[in-house]
Every structure is written in C-alpha cells, then in structure tokens.
Amino acid sequence: MPVSLDKTPAPLPEDMDRAPAYRVELRKLTALFFVVADTTGQWTPQTPDNRVDVLAVERAADNDVEQALQRHDIEAQCIEVPGLVYVELHAVSAGDAALKARGLISPVPTTFEDQMNALMGDDA
C-alpha cells in the first residue's frame, strides 16, 4: 500500500460528493480578450450568415507588461496579413468574446429591407 506524504486526513464518505468551498468558483468573471478575425473570406468561404471568420481568441495576461507584449505581438501579426481585424473586448469566456467580436465587426442590418436582402443573399 503506497504511503502518502500528505498529512491531511482522508475525506469522510459522506463528504466525497462535495468539493471544499475554497476550490469552487461559481462566478463568471469578465476578463480582457484579444480577438483576431478575417473579413475577406481568405480562410473560409463567406456566406450571407457568416461574414466574419474568428481565427483566434486569446485571454489577456493579468500583468500589465505581459499584456502589452501580447498586444504588440498580435498587432504585429495582424499588420502583416491583409484583411485581418484585431479587437479587444471584455467577456466572460472565449466563446462570448468571439460572439461579441463577430457582432462588432459584421454589419448589422437595421431596416426590414436590409434584413431581407441579407437573408436572400442580395447585398447590392
């Protein structure tokens, strides 16, 4: 039988289905995310429903210096490739950041006629 060096007592059987309170995080905290998206269709074919292709979502570092280095690296890569859009926004997860960035970048039809043209595929 292996010997454990951990001196904490083993959990009781009735406590096995509960995690300690200090290990459970139930809140959704917002954080800064860096999003890189393609608006030209060079990576994936564009459809009327998908005008923006989100290529990368990265959570910003907590340290200000690391965050500035991250921002500089991502901006430098976006300048090299034409058609890439770089967005910084606050979100609760990477998926939420991608959805918000797609909403910010893609044009939203405002009138009923614009909505119908978007659905039909006529953007002329």
Side-chain angles (χ1 to χ4, degrees):
M1 177 173 200
V3 177
S4 173
L5 297 177
D6 187 12
K7 299 301 179 187
T8 58
L12 299 173
E14 59 268 12
D15 293 334
M16 292 297 285
D17 60 345
R18 289 181 293 210
Y22 62 87
R23 293 179 56 199
V24 177
E25 180 64 53
L26 298 176
R27 298 177 296 166
K28 287 279 193 173
L29 301 175
T30 60
L32 182 65
F33 284 88
F34 302 131
V35 181
V36 177
D38 174 36
T39 58
T40 60
Q42 62 183 346
W43 303 102
T44 58
Q46 290 184 337
T47 62
D49 296 335
N50 184 19
R51 296 285 182 192
V52 175
D53 184 24
V54 176
L55 300 176
V57 179
E58 188 172 335
R59 187 179 186 278
D62 293 331
N63 188 337
D64 292 337
V65 175
E66 291 177 9
Q67 193 177 87
L69 291 172
Q70 262 183 318
R71 183 179 293 116
H72 177 71
D73 288 343
I74 293 173
E75 286 177 348
Q77 292 173 2
C78 289
I79 289 172
E80 293 175 0
V81 181
L84 292 186
V85 177
Y86 166 71
V87 178
E88 292 182 16
L89 48 87
H90 290 276
V92 294
S93 66
D96 186 35
L99 185 64
K100 286 182 179 180
R102 181 174 284 165
L104 286 173
I105 297 169
S106 64
V108 178
T110 55
T111 65
F112 179 74
E113 184 178 351
D114 292 340
Q115 291 175 354
M116 292 307 293
N117 286 339
L119 289 174
M120 301 293 286
D122 287 337
D123 291 335

